[in-house]
Amino acid sequence: MATGILPREAAIFFVPLVTLLLGILIGYLAQRSGYCSIGGFRDYFLFRHTRLLSGYLTLIVASCAGYLLFWFLTPDAMEHFFWALKSGVATPIPGAPGSLDTTAYLIFSIVPGFFVGLIAVFIGGCPIRQTVMASEGNYKAAWFFVGMCVGSVLFAAIVSGWVVALMRSLGFGV
Amino acid sequence: MELRYPRDTIRNISSVLIRHPAFLGATIGILAAFSQALLISAGGPEAYGFCVACHTRDLVNGMTNIVAGTSLALAAISKNSLLPVMSVAGVLIGGYISATLHREHRIKKGTRIEYLWYFLAGVAVLNLAMIFGGCPYRAALRTGYGDLTAILFIVAMAAGVILGAYLMLKKAEREDA
C-alpha cells in the first residue's frame, strides 16, 4: 500500500478539497487556452498547426517529469514508477474492468482509443473541451456532459459486465 | 514610465503564458504528480491525478452511492474518501469563472437532434474511455508514469482523429462542389 505525504485519515478528508481546487485551476486555464487533446491532433492533421498539439505533448513530458520529481522526493507515494520497468512492458495500470489477460487489455487500449478519437473529432472536442464549453454556455456541450454522467451509471451498472463477459467468452479470461 | 516598463512586460508575458496550451499541459502534469504524492494514502489507482472521464464517473457514481445507497463501481480513492474526487466540478466552476471574468460566457443553443447526438456521444465516449480506464488525459498521465499500453491508446486515438478529420474534409468538399 502506497503512502503519500498526508496520512490516511487526513487524505480521505482532503481528497475532495484538493481535487476541487486543482479542477478550478485547470478549468480556468483550459478556458483561457482552448485546451483540447483531440483538437491538437486534428489541427495538426488538417492545417499543420502545432499550438494545441504542443499542449498535449507537454502534458506527457511534464507528467513524466513531475512523477520523476516526486519519485525522488516521496518514493513511497510513487510505488510503481517507472511502471514498465517494475510491472512489465505489456501490463496496464489498473483502471479497466475485470481480471482478464494481457491481450484483452491491449485490445482495450487500441479499440476504445480509435473510437474515442473518431467520435470526439465529429463533435469537435475531447471531454475537457466539452466540459469547458458547457461552462461557457454551450448547450450542446452541456448535453455531452449529461451524456457522460448518464453513461457513467450505465457503465457501472451494465456495460462493464457485458464487456468482461464478452472478453471471457472470447477466451481472454484469466 | 521606466518603472512601469518591467511590470508591463511581466504582465504581457504572463498573459501570453496563461493563454498557451503548453503552460496548462505542464500545470496538469506537475500538479497531477503532486496530488498523487499528497493523497495516495487514501487509495489507488496510481497516475490518477486528473482525468475527465474517470473523475466524472467517480463523482456521479460516488454521489449516487451516498444519496441512493447503491454500490456502483468507482475508484478506491473516491470510495475511501468522505466525498468522491471533485475535479470535474472544479473544471466547470473554473471555466465558468474564467468565461464570466473575460466576458466570453455566451449561450449557444442547438437543435434537439443535435442535443440527442451530443448526449449519445457523451454516453459512448465515457463508456469507451472507461473500458480503457481513462480519457485522453489519464492516458497521457499513464504514459508519463511509464505505462506503455497507454501509448497504444494515444496512437489509436490519433488514427481515429485522422480518419474522422479526413471524413469531415471529404464531406465539406462534397458540399462545396
XYZ file of all heavy atoms in Angstrom, chain B residues 97-141:
361
model
N -15.979 30.707 -14.119
C -15.359 31.927 -13.576
C -14.591 32.647 -14.674
O -14.751 33.861 -14.889
C -14.414 31.574 -12.409
C -15.204 31.081 -11.199
C -13.572 32.780 -12.011
C -14.321 30.534 -10.092
N -13.767 31.884 -15.414
C -12.939 32.497 -16.444
C -13.788 33.085 -17.556
O -13.552 34.211 -18.009
C -11.979 31.450 -17.003
O -11.309 31.966 -18.106
N -14.818 32.351 -17.997
C -15.678 32.852 -19.076
C -16.411 34.112 -18.646
O -16.563 35.055 -19.426
C -16.675 31.773 -19.484
N -16.846 34.162 -17.385
C -17.561 35.339 -16.905
C -16.621 36.532 -16.767
O -16.949 37.646 -17.183
C -18.215 35.030 -15.549
O -18.884 33.782 -15.661
C -19.195 36.099 -15.165
N -15.416 36.286 -16.195
C -14.456 37.380 -15.994
C -14.043 37.994 -17.325
O -13.857 39.210 -17.417
C -13.199 36.850 -15.290
C -13.239 36.673 -13.782
C -11.887 36.185 -13.309
C -13.590 37.986 -13.108
N -13.880 37.170 -18.341
C -13.391 37.677 -19.625
C -14.514 37.906 -20.621
O -14.287 37.992 -21.818
C -12.344 36.717 -20.184
C -11.152 36.578 -19.292
N -11.062 35.598 -18.330
C -10.013 37.308 -19.195
C -9.925 35.732 -17.683
N -9.270 36.766 -18.175
N -15.747 37.952 -20.133
C -16.930 38.244 -20.960
C -17.009 37.311 -22.169
O -17.292 37.731 -23.287
C -16.911 39.701 -21.441
C -16.995 40.664 -20.283
C -16.780 42.093 -20.752
N -16.586 42.981 -19.615
C -17.577 43.418 -18.846
N -18.812 43.069 -19.104
N -17.321 44.217 -17.832
N -16.726 36.031 -21.943
C -16.838 35.070 -23.040
C -17.975 34.089 -22.793
O -18.080 33.078 -23.475
C -15.509 34.307 -23.207
C -14.435 35.168 -23.833
C -13.082 34.503 -23.850
O -12.993 33.339 -23.436
O -12.123 35.156 -24.282
N -18.811 34.390 -21.772
C -19.929 33.488 -21.498
C -21.056 33.797 -22.475
O -21.659 34.853 -22.431
C -20.407 33.664 -20.058
C -21.399 32.639 -19.644
N -21.025 31.418 -19.142
C -22.744 32.629 -19.707
C -22.106 30.705 -18.891
N -23.152 31.419 -19.217
N -21.303 32.890 -23.416
C -22.353 33.078 -24.419
C -23.243 31.847 -24.427
O -22.737 30.728 -24.512
C -21.741 33.202 -25.814
C -20.736 34.294 -25.985
C -21.319 35.511 -26.666
N -20.273 36.477 -26.947
C -19.672 37.229 -26.016
N -19.987 37.089 -24.743
N -18.753 38.112 -26.353
N -24.539 32.075 -24.377
C -25.470 30.953 -24.531
C -25.511 30.586 -26.014
O -25.804 31.419 -26.866
C -26.875 31.337 -24.042
C -26.845 31.699 -22.564
C -27.857 30.202 -24.299
C -26.505 30.557 -21.648
N -25.146 29.335 -26.298
C -25.213 28.842 -27.685
C -26.156 27.662 -27.698
O -25.883 26.645 -27.065
C -23.824 28.399 -28.158
C -22.933 29.522 -28.597
C -21.637 28.954 -29.163
C -20.546 29.995 -29.138
N -19.219 29.382 -28.977
N -27.252 27.803 -28.415
C -28.213 26.709 -28.454
C -28.081 25.925 -29.754
O -27.558 26.437 -30.748
C -29.636 27.260 -28.319
C -29.888 27.845 -26.947
C -31.327 28.206 -26.735
C -31.510 28.733 -25.314
N -32.857 29.174 -25.051
N -28.561 24.696 -29.743
C -28.579 23.881 -30.945
C -29.977 23.341 -31.153
O -30.917 23.737 -30.479
N -30.097 22.438 -32.098
C -31.404 21.823 -32.332
C -31.547 20.594 -31.444
O -30.574 20.102 -30.879
C -31.547 21.401 -33.798
O -30.486 20.496 -34.107
C -31.458 22.600 -34.716
N -32.781 20.079 -31.322
C -32.999 18.921 -30.454
C -32.242 17.706 -30.942
O -31.733 16.920 -30.145
C -34.490 18.602 -30.410
C -35.185 19.452 -29.401
C -36.601 19.022 -29.224
N -37.280 20.039 -28.439
C -38.579 20.123 -28.304
N -39.360 19.270 -28.920
N -39.109 21.063 -27.565
N -32.169 17.538 -32.267
C -31.496 16.353 -32.803
C -29.996 16.446 -32.504
O -29.343 15.444 -32.197
C -31.799 16.196 -34.313
C -31.441 14.802 -34.794
C -31.102 17.225 -35.171
C -32.455 13.768 -34.415
N -29.437 17.684 -32.517
C -28.024 17.859 -32.133
C -27.802 17.496 -30.670
O -26.825 16.837 -30.327
C -27.593 19.309 -32.374
C -27.200 19.592 -33.801
C -26.832 21.050 -34.012
O -27.378 21.923 -33.289
O -26.021 21.329 -34.881
N -28.760 17.936 -29.815
C -28.637 17.594 -28.396
C -28.604 16.085 -28.233
O -27.813 15.541 -27.456
C -29.810 18.159 -27.602
C -29.838 19.663 -27.496
C -31.012 20.332 -27.219
C -28.673 20.397 -27.659
C -31.046 21.711 -27.113
C -28.701 21.762 -27.557
C -29.889 22.419 -27.285
O -29.913 23.774 -27.174
N -29.477 15.399 -28.998
C -29.536 13.937 -28.894
C -28.210 13.324 -29.313
O -27.675 12.449 -28.616
C -30.673 13.388 -29.759
C -30.819 11.871 -29.729
C -31.227 11.419 -28.342
C -31.838 11.405 -30.755
N -27.619 13.803 -30.412
C -26.335 13.255 -30.870
C -25.228 13.509 -29.851
O -24.397 12.642 -29.597
C -25.932 13.842 -32.227
C -26.627 13.171 -33.372
C -27.466 13.745 -34.275
C -26.546 11.777 -33.732
N -27.925 12.797 -35.165
C -27.378 11.593 -34.866
C -25.876 10.674 -33.216
C -27.541 10.350 -35.480
C -26.033 9.437 -33.820
C -26.860 9.289 -34.944
N -25.211 14.729 -29.288
C -24.168 15.038 -28.299
C -24.336 14.190 -27.050
O -23.367 13.724 -26.472
C -24.179 16.542 -27.964
C -23.325 17.346 -28.898
C -23.702 17.553 -30.213
C -22.110 17.876 -28.474
C -22.912 18.277 -31.081
C -21.314 18.607 -29.339
C -21.720 18.799 -30.636
O -20.916 19.500 -31.475
N -25.627 13.989 -26.659
C -25.890 13.142 -25.491
C -25.375 11.726 -25.739
O -24.659 11.155 -24.897
C -27.398 13.134 -25.216
C -27.811 12.212 -24.107
C -27.648 12.592 -22.787
C -28.348 10.965 -24.386
C -28.026 11.739 -21.765
C -28.729 10.112 -23.368
C -28.561 10.501 -22.059
N -25.702 11.164 -26.919
C -25.256 9.802 -27.229
C -23.736 9.745 -27.325
O -23.110 8.772 -26.888
C -25.900 9.318 -28.533
C -27.412 9.111 -28.461
C -27.957 8.712 -29.816
C -27.757 8.051 -27.425
N -23.126 10.806 -27.889
C -21.660 10.846 -27.961
C -21.064 10.864 -26.566
O -20.047 10.196 -26.307
C -21.209 12.075 -28.755
N -21.705 11.576 -25.647
C -21.217 11.592 -24.268
C -21.258 10.213 -23.646
O -20.293 9.764 -23.028
N -22.390 9.517 -23.815
C -22.510 8.163 -23.282
C -21.433 7.268 -23.898
O -20.733 6.530 -23.184
C -23.925 7.600 -23.571
C -24.013 6.149 -23.155
C -24.974 8.410 -22.865
N -21.271 7.355 -25.234
C -20.326 6.477 -25.923
C -18.893 6.772 -25.503
O -18.126 5.845 -25.193
C -20.471 6.645 -27.432
N -18.515 8.061 -25.467
C -17.129 8.409 -25.121
C -16.811 7.965 -23.705
O -15.752 7.385 -23.434
C -16.881 9.926 -25.300
C -15.601 10.349 -24.616
C -16.823 10.277 -26.760
N -17.764 8.174 -22.769
C -17.467 7.775 -21.398
C -17.296 6.259 -21.294
O -16.367 5.770 -20.650
C -18.546 8.233 -20.434
C -18.005 8.007 -19.030
C -17.848 9.278 -18.295
C -18.725 6.981 -18.268
N -18.184 5.510 -21.959
C -18.077 4.054 -21.857
C -16.790 3.547 -22.497
O -16.118 2.678 -21.939
C -19.298 3.397 -22.498
C -20.479 3.408 -21.549
O -20.532 2.637 -20.626
N -21.399 4.319 -21.776
N -16.434 4.104 -23.666
C -15.190 3.670 -24.317
C -13.991 4.016 -23.444
O -13.066 3.208 -23.272
C -15.071 4.327 -25.687
C -16.034 3.797 -26.744
C -16.090 4.736 -27.927
C -15.594 2.421 -27.200
N -14.002 5.245 -22.891
C -12.884 5.661 -22.053
C -12.776 4.768 -20.821
O -11.678 4.420 -20.378
C -13.045 7.123 -21.642
N -13.921 4.360 -20.261
C -13.883 3.513 -19.061
C -13.404 2.109 -19.382
O -12.796 1.452 -18.543
C -15.271 3.463 -18.433
C -15.640 4.670 -17.647
S -14.551 4.946 -16.284
C -13.525 6.186 -16.891
N -13.693 1.625 -20.611
C -13.185 0.302 -20.989
C -11.653 0.334 -20.983
O -11.004 -0.592 -20.522
C -13.741 -0.118 -22.363
C -15.223 -0.422 -22.245
C -13.012 -1.338 -22.896
C -15.904 -0.635 -23.562
N -11.094 1.445 -21.470
C -9.633 1.588 -21.419
C -9.168 1.889 -20.008
O -8.088 1.458 -19.588
C -9.201 2.697 -22.380
C -7.804 3.204 -22.144
C -6.721 2.381 -22.355
C -7.588 4.489 -21.707
C -5.434 2.838 -22.126
C -6.300 4.948 -21.481
C -5.230 4.119 -21.690
N -9.987 2.597 -19.245
C -9.593 3.010 -17.905
C -9.025 4.413 -17.881
O -8.159 4.718 -17.067
N -9.511 5.295 -18.744
C -9.063 6.678 -18.690
C -9.387 7.419 -19.968
O -9.524 6.817 -21.021
N -9.524 8.746 -19.839
C -9.747 9.584 -21.011
C -8.378 9.951 -21.590
O -7.353 9.528 -21.065
C -10.525 10.834 -20.596
S -9.591 11.937 -19.557
N -8.313 10.749 -22.670
C -7.006 11.139 -23.216
C -6.035 11.692 -22.174
O -4.820 11.473 -22.288
C -7.378 12.202 -24.237
C -8.722 11.809 -24.711
C -9.403 11.178 -23.554
N -6.567 12.353 -21.115
C -5.653 12.965 -20.136
C -5.012 11.919 -19.242
O -3.823 11.970 -18.961
C -6.405 14.036 -19.341
C -6.844 15.079 -20.295
C -8.120 15.065 -20.825
C -5.924 15.971 -20.798
C -8.484 15.957 -21.801
C -6.277 16.860 -21.773
C -7.555 16.842 -22.267
O -7.899 17.709 -23.251
N -5.847 10.969 -18.792
C -5.233 9.926 -17.971
C -4.305 9.070 -18.829
O -3.303 8.543 -18.326
C -6.299 9.064 -17.288
C -5.649 8.096 -16.341
C -6.508 7.638 -15.209
N -5.682 6.794 -14.356
C -5.868 5.487 -14.214
N -6.863 4.883 -14.824
N -5.060 4.789 -13.453
N -4.620 8.921 -20.122
C -3.701 8.195 -20.998
C -2.348 8.881 -21.021
O -1.298 8.218 -20.964
C -4.281 8.101 -22.409
N -2.351 10.220 -21.073
C -1.082 10.952 -21.063
C -0.375 10.776 -19.722
O 0.843 10.546 -19.671
C -1.328 12.432 -21.337
N -1.141 10.843 -18.618
C -0.522 10.664 -17.295
C 0.050 9.257 -17.161
O 1.136 9.060 -16.607
C -1.543 10.919 -16.182
C -2.080 12.331 -16.032
C -3.041 12.392 -14.860
C -0.961 13.320 -15.813
